[in-house]
Amino acid sequence: MTPRGQPSSLVAALAIARRDLLEFVRDRRTLVITLLLPMATYPILALATALGLRTATQEIDARTAPAPIRVGLSGPDAALFAALVQRTLETTPRNERTGWPADVALADVSKADAESLLDRGAIDLWIVTQPGLLAALQAQQTVPIRARVSARQPANVTLREQFLAFMRTLGRDVTRGRVTAAGLPTTLLEPLDVAFEGDPAGGPPPMEHNVVSTLAGGMLVLLTVLTLTGAFYPAIDAIAGEKERGTIETLLIAPCRISDIVLGKFLGVLAITLATLVANVMSIAATAAVAVRYLPQGVVAALPEGALAQASIATIVAFCGMAAVAAATCLAVTTASKSGKEAQNTLTPVILLVSAVAGSALLPGVRTGPLFAAIPFAGQVVVARSALGTGAEEPSGGLVLALAVAVSLLSSLAVTWLLLQLTALTLADEDVLFRGPDVAGTPLHRPARRRRPNAVQALLPLVAGFAGLWYSQGLVPNDLRWAIPVQQVLAVLVPLALVGWWQRVDLRETFSWRWPAVGGADRAARSASVMLGAVLLGGGLFLLGAAALLAWQGGTTSAEARQLSSRLVALIQDQPRWLAWALIALVPAVCEELLFRGWVLAGFVGHARTRQRLWTAIVVQAAAFALFHLLPERMPQTFLLGLVLGVLVALTGSLWPAIACHLAHNSMPIVILAFAGDMPDLAEAIETGASSAAMLPQSIIVAAAAAVAIGSGLVAIGVRPWNRLMEHPR
Amino acid sequence: MPPEPVIDVAGLVKHYHASDGTVVRAVNGVSFTVEAGEMVGLLGANGAGKTTTLRMLATLLKPTSGTARVAGCDIRDDPVGVRRRLGYVSATTGVADRLSAREIFASFGRLHGLPDETLPDRVATLLEQLDLTGCADRPAGRLSSGQRQRVSLGRALVHDPPALVLDEPTNALDVIGARDLLDLLARLRAEGHAILLSTHRLHEIENRCDRFVIIHDGSVVATGTRESLVADWIPGRDGELEEVFFAAIRTGAAHSELQP
């Protein structure tokens, strides 16, 4: 029994949730977003889609529908040809007229009028029959039929295809006549009689099933986004709103733990999010029932018996898990905000990102399988598509579906728990709780001059850099001589220069511009030792990385990676060596080190320089560095290189060894190609993007490992005492 | 042995790291006590460290060093125990606009573990005590600032705590509202609550507090009853508390400038 004044965690959480819910439901914005938005959105979208689909299919039908063809006939045997046509029209059964025109109308035309009739569109085709048509047919020859079209109004593809289909039937009739005339049975012409058996009553699903699958996918993404929208206002209200109203402190001094408060807040937001989900699902169900009437015939394929109920339950359960993640995400993101407006500004881009993640579940490459169900915000779409079946895959049921639902729910629980822990940490953070309102937009304001950027500011050039990386692809030609410098300038230097100038940080401090070794008379010698060590490390790491890539991936590199390799090799072989070196090694080494080991590392280390922050910063910048290289197969190698470069800067307090190491790393392909004659395997590996060479020569691997070991030793000798960055905080 | 003071602040220190990496010494070893049935005024200019001290007392901030006890509970070792024994109204405390006074009191009563059977009676008593019965079911957003401040106070009193801490409670109030609130606090003191309130509006509390603690630049520069302070700081004159305050903080400033 809990003593008076000390409610249990759940009682406290429920009391907070109850209080919050009362507030939420009295906020009209919440009601509008929760109930009215879904009620209006789905009918409007469904009606627009159904009408659009109907118009589109009608257009397609109109274009492919059988149309009458008017054929003008001239020439000596026109009447005979007309008789043949007439016979085929009259004798062919309906089920053998596949692809035919609606009708073939024949008219005798004089050669003088034919051209003008064609041009005016009075006839679609003009056929001049050759003399001796009957004799030619009986003589078992191939008779040329030349159908003229107007140069001004050429007959469309459908008309040509339908005419050809009709003429094939006519040809078959002629063949049958020849066979009969020769006294042979007509079964000679049809050696096989093929039919499908065991078809369901409705026959195979119509081709348009894909359209419904695509629509359902879009609907699932929309459901995700709208469910998240249901968490939007309550989450903002729950913590940022309390801060704005000045009521958060009253909760924080209640006799319960921070985690109880966060749980209470979460339960309140979750209740509204689930209500939004329910309102959305009900609206979807009602809308679907109505929309079916507006969809063109044959577009809707019925699911097998019982599958719809099973699919609906699996989908709703998976979406409930997503609702929990959505509520926790919105809370976690808005907890640091001081006001509703600030929280909205923070949350809006998150909603966009989440929409992108949910949408990624519709990509053709993403298979509907249990593992994909674990991805937050995409997993529930994966489960639903797996349950409903996609265009390419049958609906899964039973154990497979249950497993996918379980994985999705477990993942949602784990992610929710993590996010709530993060929320509790943020809420309890004194600096966050009692910071002044003026600090809200600090990363966006031009601050007073100071030594280093902070973590948020460290992210700014990265975000701008990724955008620059994307846009630079469209701006530059395929020529690497231009692509590399433009990309480095747009994705690295320009964002860095702009943010650096705007944030007024100490450049020397941020970019670690100083000797790699400090103190003592032998400073120059020790600095040289560090630099030499860094160069050996860089070269050795490249070779070890290439060997690892070959050993692990063999010939299974992506087309993009092979293409990039061959373009780099072409650049090295076709350009002067100094230019290739500058483009592949020098420019990237300097630019990328300034960004990642300079700005980003300094920003994440920040002022409160603890061992934990230093390691976090090294890992974060290495991850960003790996992501920046875009190609997935290069990411493990670039991540490890990023870690080594980060540690180099942390140990030496200088950016120079990192630049030297990076420079040596990127120079290796040029060095190898220069000595390609001596190392054909390696040259081949580089030239083909590691496609056929299975392994590097052992001697090279041993030499590379030795270079890494010696390089590390030289760096260690130079930087004594260890951990300069930690022991000499600046 | 004399009874233990309800609020016992012992050498509280709070240092912050500013965003530029410098250390801000907000509170530098503050000590004082508040007995049961006593009202103590914590006086200081803006930025003197009043709010930081009260926030540490309310367990919203963790002290860098030093500690405090509220009704026997240590703010470091038993923050939940402190919260059960403390009513706190901060300078920025607002009320939930969309809830009524009755709902606010009830929700905090539940948070403090008041049983459902007695909760309505406790809420009704509080509403009457704070003269809020007539507007008990109106959304707090539509109450006057005086009424809202009384709702805040009621929220802090719902669990009947022995200690009450108020940070500039009269700031948003007009003369009449301030007087009503201070009358109410006087009644609570008479009921045996230990009350600590901070303010820089000295004339309002000059004759209402039993003792005063004057802090400047994070340190206590003077403490005592009004009479003893006048005798110590402006001897031979029957001046106002304001004069004492200026004399004390001038000395405090000179003292802190002498520090290395």
Side-chain angles (χ1 to χ4, degrees):
Chain A
M1 197 182 134
T2 44
R4 179 184 174 274
Q6 190 183 352
S8 75
S9 288
L10 191 64
V11 170
L14 287 177
I16 292 171
R18 182 172 164 178
R19 167 181 170 275
D20 277 8
L21 269 176
L22 254 183
E23 282 211 72
F24 294 156
V25 295
R26 287 180 189 166
D27 180 0
R28 285 184 196 138
R29 288 172 304 182
T30 307
L31 293 183
V32 168
I33 293 288
T34 310
L35 299 171
L36 291 185
L37 193 67
M39 279 168 73
T41 305
Y42 293 104
I44 292 169
L45 277 180
L47 195 64
T49 312
L51 292 179
L53 203 57
R54 192 158 72 174
T55 313
T57 46
Q58 276 170 354
E59 270 178 26
I60 295 167
D61 287 349
R63 256 187 281 137
T64 53
I69 297 179
R70 292 152 301 176
V71 182
L73 290 174
S74 310
D77 282 336
L80 177 65
F81 185 77
L84 284 174
V85 169
Q86 207 55 45
R87 195 185 66 192
T88 299
L89 279 173
E90 282 166 9
T91 57
T92 310
R94 193 147 286 280
N95 63 349
E96 288 176 21
R97 297 187 177 200
T98 311
W100 271 30
D103 186 26
V104 182
L106 301 166
D108 275 327
V109 294
S110 70
K111 284 185 183 176
D113 297 340
E115 293 283 357
S116 74
L117 285 171
L118 268 178
D119 288 348
R120 280 190 281 122
I123 54 173
D124 303 304
L125 301 170
W126 174 38
I127 295 172
V128 182
T129 55
Q130 303 297 315
L133 179 69
L134 188 63
L137 287 174
Q138 284 170 349
Q140 303 184 358
Q141 293 170 357
T142 299
V143 179
I145 305 284
R146 299 289 176 259
R148 285 279 300 277
V149 295
S150 162
R152 283 193 204 159
Q153 291 189 12
N156 63 41
V157 176
T158 313
L159 185 138
R160 290 171 190 236
E161 283 175 358
Q162 290 177 357
F163 181 68
L164 279 175
F166 173 76
M167 289 305 286
R168 272 195 293 273
T169 317
L170 193 149
R172 195 199 57 192
D173 288 348
V174 172
T175 315
R176 194 171 282 160
R178 286 176 177 178
V179 167
T180 313
L184 295 166
T186 50
T187 49
L188 185 73
L189 293 171
E190 284 158 14
L192 300 171
D193 176 18
V194 183
F196 292 97
E197 288 187 337
D199 259 359
M207 290 300 283
E208 290 85 350
H209 184 63
N210 275 333
V211 177
V212 168
S213 169
T214 310
L215 284 182
M219 202 67 96
L220 291 169
V221 173
L222 187 66
L223 180 62
T224 305
V225 176
L226 283 183
T227 306
L228 186 73
T229 320
F232 192 88
Y233 282 115
I236 289 173
D237 214 25
I239 293 178
E242 293 239 34
K243 285 187 191 174
E244 195 171 348
R245 290 190 294 274
T247 48
I248 192 75
E249 289 177 24
T250 63
L251 271 185
L252 292 174
I253 53 158
C256 51
R257 294 173 304 171
I258 289 268
S259 54
D260 303 337
I261 297 173
V262 170
L263 181 64
K265 295 280 173 195
F266 168 70
L267 289 177
V269 178
L270 179 65
I272 299 288
T273 314
L274 286 174
T276 311
L277 176 63
V278 169
N280 275 280
V281 168
M282 282 166 58
S283 178
I284 288 179
T287 306
V290 178
V292 165
R293 292 184 216 158
Y294 292 92
L295 285 173
Q297 290 259 316
V299 163
V300 181
L303 281 169
E305 189 101 351
L308 185 65
Q310 196 183 18
S312 304
I313 291 169
T315 304
I316 289 170
V317 170
F319 267 84
C320 285
M322 189 281 295
V325 180
T329 303
C330 290
L331 267 183
V333 170
T334 55
T335 302
S337 304
K338 199 85 182 168
S339 67
K341 188 182 165 212
E342 192 190 330
Q344 272 188 23
N345 290 344
T346 328
L347 202 47
T348 307
V350 174
I351 294 224
L352 291 175
L353 279 177
V354 166
S355 315
V357 175
S360 72
L362 301 180
L363 291 175
V366 177
R367 298 248 326 275
T368 53
L371 274 183
F372 285 95
I375 305 170
F377 291 115
Q380 79 288 349
V381 178
V382 171
V383 168
R385 292 185 77 210
S386 166
L388 293 164
T390 62
E393 290 182 34
E394 283 298 299
S396 37
L399 223 75
V400 177
L401 188 59
L403 184 66
V405 173
V407 167
S408 165
L409 268 187
L410 278 177
S411 156
S412 296
L413 271 177
V415 173
T416 302
W417 185 82
L418 276 174
L419 287 167
L420 293 184
Q421 296 296 315
L422 180 70
T423 307
L425 274 178
T426 315
L427 186 58
D429 189 315
E430 296 175 358
D431 292 340
V432 174
L433 188 62
F434 294 113
R435 68 179 166 79
D438 54 320
V439 196
T442 301
L444 308 175
H445 292 160
R446 196 161 188 213
R449 191 168 285 286
R450 75 232 125 93
R451 295 210 304 264
R452 296 171 152 240
N454 63 27
V456 180
Q457 290 148 1
L459 283 173
L460 286 179
L462 280 184
V463 175
F466 275 112
L469 207 58
W470 179 259
Y471 291 121
S472 62
Q473 292 184 53
L475 290 175
V476 290
N478 228 8
D479 188 345
L480 282 183
R481 280 177 303 175
W482 291 104
I484 292 175
V486 169
Q487 205 168 57
Q488 290 288 339
V489 167
L490 277 184
V492 179
L493 281 189
V494 169
L496 195 55
L498 284 176
V499 178
W501 166 77
W502 183 248
Q503 293 297 320
R504 282 203 266 231
V505 293
D506 180 340
L507 296 181
R508 191 170 174 276
E509 175 72 24
T510 301
F511 294 109
S512 307
W513 284 344
R514 58 176 72 83
W515 284 87
V518 283
D522 59 344
R523 187 178 77 167
R526 285 194 290 118
S527 290
S529 163
V530 170
M531 294 298 277
L532 183 61
V535 168
L536 285 174
L537 257 176
L541 281 174
F542 177 87
L543 291 173
L544 288 184
L549 200 68
L550 284 176
W552 285 330
Q553 296 186 321
T556 58
T557 44
S558 68
E560 288 81 8
R562 280 200 299 277
Q563 196 194 1
L564 181 67
S565 293
S566 61
R567 284 172 70 198
L568 285 173
V569 171
L571 178 77
I572 296 168
Q573 286 172 340
D574 301 345
Q575 301 301 323
R577 210 150 269 164
W578 66 267
L579 182 63
W581 179 76
L583 288 173
I584 294 175
L586 185 63
V587 173
V590 174
C591 294
E592 289 171 12
E593 288 317 299
L594 283 174
L595 176 62
F596 293 100
R597 260 62 62 181
W599 183 273
V600 179
L601 186 67
F604 278 96
V605 171
H607 297 286
R609 205 169 302 172
T610 62
R611 195 168 289 268
Q612 192 191 356
R613 279 197 77 153
L614 182 66
W615 277 110
T616 310
I618 289 174
V619 173
V620 168
Q621 62 81 22
F625 180 60
L627 283 177
F628 228 71
H629 283 78
L630 297 179
L631 289 176
E633 48 264 84
R634 287 181 68 193
M635 282 182 188
Q637 197 185 344
T638 39
F639 178 71
L640 286 176
L641 178 67
L643 284 183
V644 170
L645 292 167
V647 171
L648 264 182
V649 174
L651 280 176
T652 63
S654 164
L655 198 65
W656 293 111
I659 293 178
C661 182
H662 198 154
L663 195 62
H665 180 276
N666 284 19
S667 302
M668 283 314 281
I670 302 165
V671 174
I672 290 163
L673 282 176
F675 300 104
D678 302 334
M679 291 176 278
D681 282 357
L682 195 57
E684 189 189 351
I686 290 167
E687 280 184 40
T688 56
S691 64
S692 61
M695 287 293 283
L696 288 182
Q698 271 190 354
S699 57
I700 288 191
I701 298 177
V702 171
V708 169
I710 296 170
S712 309
L714 285 172
V715 171
I717 291 169
V719 298
R720 240 175 260 272
W722 288 85
N723 265 12
R724 184 175 143 178
L725 193 75
M726 297 302 301
E727 290 177 8
H728 303 274
R730 285 171 293 267
Chain B
M1 207 173 101
E4 194 186 353
V6 178
I7 298 174
D8 184 358
V9 178
L12 275 184
V13 173
K14 183 69 187 178
H15 294 170
Y16 297 106
H17 285 276
S19 58
D20 60 359
T22 55
V23 174
V24 179
R25 296 166 202 282
V27 174
N28 261 330
V30 166
S31 303
F32 60 86
T33 59
V34 185
E35 311 282 342
E38 189 183 33
M39 178 139 77
V40 171
L42 184 63
L43 313 180
N46 287 337
K50 301 189 299 285
T51 298
T52 306
T53 304
L54 299 188
R55 278 178 180 163
M56 285 191 277
L57 205 48
T59 70
L60 286 168
L61 287 178
K62 284 192 179 63
T64 310
S65 66
T67 191
R69 296 170 75 78
V70 175
C73 293
D74 192 290
I75 58 167
R76 284 170 170 274
D77 305 335
D78 186 11
V80 174
V82 170
R83 291 179 211 153
R84 285 209 303 271
R85 291 162 176 82
L86 182 83
Y88 172 71
V89 180
S90 82
T92 52
T93 292
V95 289
D97 290 344
R98 297 188 286 270
L99 300 184
S100 68
R102 194 187 301 281
E103 287 162 345
I104 292 171
F105 292 175
S107 70
F108 279 94
R110 270 183 223 107
L111 265 178
H112 278 280
L114 299 188
D116 280 346
E117 309 84 65
T118 57
L119 189 60
D121 287 345
R122 174 66 189 146
V123 170
T125 313
L126 258 183
L127 287 169
E128 202 180 316
Q129 198 178 2
L130 295 161
D131 196 19
L132 288 167
T133 312
C135 54
D137 297 305
R138 203 183 295 164
R142 285 199 267 144
L143 299 178
S144 72
S145 44
Q147 287 169 327
R148 286 160 68 90
Q149 190 66 326
R150 272 182 279 152
V151 173
S152 263
L153 188 60
R155 190 263 313 146
L157 285 171
V158 74
H159 53 304
D160 198 17
L164 195 56
V165 171
L166 305 103
D167 191 4
E168 311 206 355
T170 58
N171 248 8
L173 303 181
D174 61 12
V175 185
I176 300 169
R179 170 173 288 208
D180 284 352
L181 185 81
L182 291 167
D183 286 346
L184 190 65
L185 292 179
R187 284 209 301 275
L188 291 168
R189 172 181 58 180
E191 287 169 15
H193 292 273
I195 299 173
L196 172 66
L197 81 159
S198 82
T199 186
H200 54 255
R201 291 157 76 164
L202 306 184
H203 58 278
E204 279 180 0
I205 57 158
E206 176 150 23
N207 297 311
R208 289 179 181 266
C209 289
D210 302 299
R211 284 189 300 120
F212 300 91
V213 176
I214 301 176
I215 64 172
H216 183 71
D217 274 349
S219 303
V220 174
V221 289
T223 177
T225 61
R226 184 182 173 281
E227 292 70 28
S228 70
L229 285 171
V230 168
D232 287 351
W233 290 92
I234 43 172
R237 289 162 53 195
D238 187 20
E240 290 188 338
L241 192 58
E242 200 168 276
E243 288 180 54
V244 174
F245 179 74
F246 282 118
I249 65 168
R250 264 199 299 273
T251 315
H255 180 69
S256 61
E257 275 165 21
L258 287 175
Q259 298 235 322

